[in-house]
Amino acid sequence: MDQGTTPPAPDPAPHRGPGAGSRLTRRKPVERLITESGKGEGGALRRSLGVWQLTSISIGATLGTGIFVVLGEAVPEAGPAVIAAFVVAGFTALFSALSYAELAGTIPVAGSSYSYTYATMGELTAWVIGWCLILEYGVSVAAVAVGWGQYLNELLDGTIGVTLPDALSAPPGDGGVVNLPALVVVLLAMVLLLGGARESATANAVMVVVKISALLMFCAVAVTGVRAGNYTPFMPLGVAGVNVAAATLFFSYIGFDAASTAGEEARNPRRDLPRAIILSLVIVTVLYCLVAAVAVGAMPWQDFTGSEAALAGIMEEVTGHAVWSVLLALGAVVAIASVVLAVLYGQTRILFSMARDGLIPTVFSRVHQRTGVPRANTLIVSAFCGLLAALIPLGRLADATSIGTLFAFALVNVSVVILRRTHPRATRGFRVPLSPLLPALGFAFCVWTMTGLDAVTWTVFGLWLIGGLVIYFAYGIRHSRLGRPHEEAR
C-alpha cells in the first residue's frame, strides 16, 4: 500500500446489536474506509491528481457565481459592509476548512464529510450529512448554472448584439419557461467528466487561470472609478444586515472542500489534500474581499439592487466602453463553467462512496474500466442537476445550498474532535491548531450564520431532511453493507 493510503491504527469494531439504536449508531472502521479506497463495482478509480490539480479543483468549485452573481444580491442586504460580510463568511469557512484539512489527511477517501461522520458519529448521522451534501453539491451545481446563463447573455449582447429571450434563459417564476443555458453548461461539464478525472482536472485548471485573470482585470480597471463617498455610511443596515449578507455570501465559499472528494484519486492524499484545502481558501478569500471592496467603491450600494451581472455593469460604467464588460463576461462564463465542472465532480464522488456502503443503489458505484469514471453515476447526477437548473430560480437554490452546507460543516468540526479522542495515534497529514477551541469556534460560526437565513429556507431544509430520513429508513438501513457480517469480514 502506498504512502498516501497507509491506514491509521486499527479502529475498534463498530458497535452492533439487535436493536434499532445500535444499527443507527454503528460506525464504519477507519481502516476499512482506507482499505476500500478507490474500489468500485467493476473497476477502480485512478490515482492521478497532484497538489496543484487538487487546489484547482477547490478553487474551481468555489470561485464563480458567488462573486460574479450572488454579490449583487448581498450588497443590498449590507451596503458597503458587504466587505465585512465576506470576512465573516470567510472566517466561518476557515475554521471548518482547518477541520476538513485534518480529516482529509487522516481519512483520505472520496466521501468527504459523509465518510468522516460515518467513522465518528455513526450511520444515521453519516446519512444525514450525505443528504446535506446533495444540497451542497448537487443543488449548488444547479444554482451556479443559473448564474452562467446571465453572463452568457451579457457576452452575447456585447459581441453580436442579441440575447436569448426570457422564455429560454429564465426558469418558471423568473419570467421564463426554461433556462436553456443552465442546462447546456451542466451537460458540457458532464461530457468532460466522462473523459476521466485527470482530463477534466486539466480542463478545470485552465479555466481557473482564466477566471482569476478576469477578476484581477476587473480590480485593475474598476479601481479607477472608486469614490470614497460610496463607502459611507459603511454599515447602513447594521450588524443584522451583515449577518444576513454573510449567510447569503457563504454560498460563495461552498466548494473549498471539493478537494476532499478527490481523496481516492490523489497521488499522495495525506500530504496534498490538507495543502490544497487551505491554499484554495486563502486564495479565494483574498480575491473576494478585493473584488468586493473595488465593486462597492465604484458603484453606490443602492444601485446593486436587481443587478445580476453587477461586475460587468460596473466595468462598462467606469470605462464607458463595452469591450471591458465583454471581456469580464467572457471570464465569468468560463469561471462559472469551471464551478459546474468541479462541483459536479464532487457530487458524483460522494454518491460513489454512499453507494459503495450500500446506502443508495449500487449503480452509483459502478466504475467504467477504461476511463476509471463512475459513468452511470455521472449521467444520472448530470441529468438531475441540469433539470433543476433549467426550472428553479437562483436565489432559492443558493439559500438552500448554504443551509445544507453549514449543517454539514458544523458536524465536521465535531468529527475532528471525536476522531482525536478515538484515534489519538492515527497518522495525520495536518493537525488543527488549538483543538478543540478552533473546531468549537467553527461549529459556533456555522450555527450563527445559519440564523441569518430566512424561515422559508429553514422550512425547505426541514422538509429536505424529512425526505432524506424517509429514504434512509425505506432503503438505506436495510441495504447497508455495514450491517452484513459477510461484508464486514472482507
Side-chain angles (χ1 to χ4, degrees), residues 17 83 85 169 207 213 235 308 316:
I83 304 168
S169 61
M207 290 189 282
S213 300
M235 199 177 293
E308 295 176 330
E316 186 168 358

Side-chain angles (χ1 to χ4, degrees), residues 307-333:
S307 177
E308 295 176 330
L311 300 189
I314 292 172
M315 289 283 275
E316 186 168 358
E317 183 176 332
V318 167
T319 64
H321 299 290
V323 64
W324 292 105
S325 63
V326 170
L327 288 175
L328 187 73
L330 176 61
V333 166

Side-chain angles (χ1 to χ4, degrees), residues 92 96 100 113 128-137 139-140 143 244 246-254 394-412 443 445-465:
T92 302
S96 296
Y100 261 102
S113 51
V128 171
I129 292 299
W131 192 243
C132 288
L133 290 177
I134 295 175
L135 272 178
E136 178 184 351
Y137 285 88
V139 178
S140 70
V244 172
T248 298
L249 288 173
F250 189 78
F251 177 79
S252 308
Y253 289 92
I254 292 172
L394 169 65
R396 193 55 61 197
L397 285 173
D399 286 346
T401 301
S402 291
I403 195 169
T405 305
L406 285 163
F407 186 78
F409 283 10
L411 291 189
V412 163
F443 177 85
F445 266 84
C446 287
V447 173
W448 181 75
T449 305
M450 289 172 75
T451 63
L453 296 167
D454 60 30
V456 174
T457 301
W458 276 96
T459 301
V460 170
F461 181 58
L463 293 173
W464 178 265
L465 289 182

Side-chain angles (χ1 to χ4, degrees), residues 25 44 50 83 101 145 147 174 196 208 223 260 273 289 297 318 326 328-329 356 358 387:
T25 58
I83 304 168
D174 273 2
V208 165
V223 73
S260 68
L273 288 177
C289 292
V318 167
V326 170
L328 187 73
R356 185 170 56 196
L387 290 175

Side-chain angles (χ1 to χ4, degrees), residues 10-365:
D11 190 24
H15 174 68
R16 299 187 303 277
S22 62
R23 286 184 289 167
L24 299 179
T25 58
R26 56 193 175 198
R27 294 179 294 110
K28 187 171 184 179
V30 173
E31 79 275 5
R32 179 172 169 181
L33 283 165
I34 302 298
T35 301
E36 292 179 350
S37 179
K39 298 176 183 177
E41 294 287 332
L45 302 177
R46 298 175 181 173
R47 293 193 175 276
S48 59
L49 305 178
V51 64
W52 290 111
Q53 290 166 310
L54 295 169
T55 303
S56 293
I57 288 173
S58 282
I59 296 176
T62 309
L63 191 63
T65 302
I67 193 66
F68 283 104
V69 179
V70 176
L71 177 66
E73 298 183 4
V75 172
E77 301 286 354
V82 71
I83 304 168
F86 265 119
V87 173
V88 170
F91 268 105
T92 302
L94 175 61
F95 290 129
S96 296
L98 294 174
S99 293
Y100 261 102
E102 176 168 331
L103 291 170
T106 310
I107 312 175
V109 294
S112 187
S113 51
Y114 156 76
S115 295
Y116 309 151
T117 51
Y118 209 164
T120 57
M121 298 186 207
E123 185 171 284
L124 179 60
T125 305
W127 168 265
V128 171
I129 292 299
W131 192 243
C132 288
L133 290 177
I134 295 175
L135 272 178
E136 178 184 351
Y137 285 88
V139 178
S140 70
V141 166
V144 170
V146 171
W148 188 78
Q150 296 163 359
Y151 271 95
L152 179 64
N153 261 341
E154 288 284 331
L155 180 61
L156 292 174
D157 185 41
T159 53
I160 60 178
V162 299
T163 58
L164 294 173
D166 288 345
L168 297 179
S169 61
D174 273 2
V177 176
V178 61
N179 192 329
L180 189 59
L183 176 60
V184 168
V185 72
V186 173
L187 296 180
L188 289 174
M190 177 192 73
V191 171
L192 286 174
L193 289 176
L194 290 174
R198 184 173 184 177
E199 291 76 9
S200 56
T202 300
N204 175 70
V206 172
M207 290 189 282
V208 165
V209 171
V210 171
K211 65 181 174 182
I212 290 178
S213 300
L215 288 174
L216 293 177
M217 178 193 70
F218 167 81
C219 293
V221 174
V223 73
T224 61
V226 169
R227 301 291 180 268
N230 288 338
Y231 294 111
T232 56
F234 182 72
M235 199 177 293
L237 301 170
V239 175
V242 174
N243 185 20
V244 172
T248 298
L249 288 173
F250 189 78
F251 177 79
S252 308
Y253 289 92
I254 292 172
F256 73 81
D257 56 321
S260 68
T261 68
E264 298 178 27
E265 291 162 284
R267 288 195 294 267
N268 191 341
R270 291 195 188 281
R271 182 195 67 187
D272 293 344
L273 288 177
R275 294 180 180 181
I277 290 170
I278 301 300
L279 182 59
S280 63
L281 184 62
V282 170
I283 293 172
V284 166
T285 302
V286 170
L287 277 172
Y288 280 166
C289 292
L290 182 61
V291 171
V294 172
V296 296
M299 187 167 78
W301 69 271
Q302 299 91 337
D303 294 346
F304 279 80
T305 302
S307 177
E308 295 176 330
L311 300 189
I314 292 172
M315 289 283 275
E316 186 168 358
E317 183 176 332
V318 167
T319 64
H321 299 290
V323 64
W324 292 105
S325 63
V326 170
L327 288 175
L328 187 73
L330 176 61
V333 166
V334 173
I336 297 172
S338 76
V339 177
V340 173
L341 175 64
V343 176
L344 194 63
Y345 166 85
Q347 177 65 96
T348 60
R349 271 44 180 187
I350 290 168
L351 292 176
F352 172 85
S353 291
M354 295 176 73
R356 185 170 56 196
D357 292 333
L359 300 185
I360 60 176
T362 57
V363 64
F364 289 96
S365 64

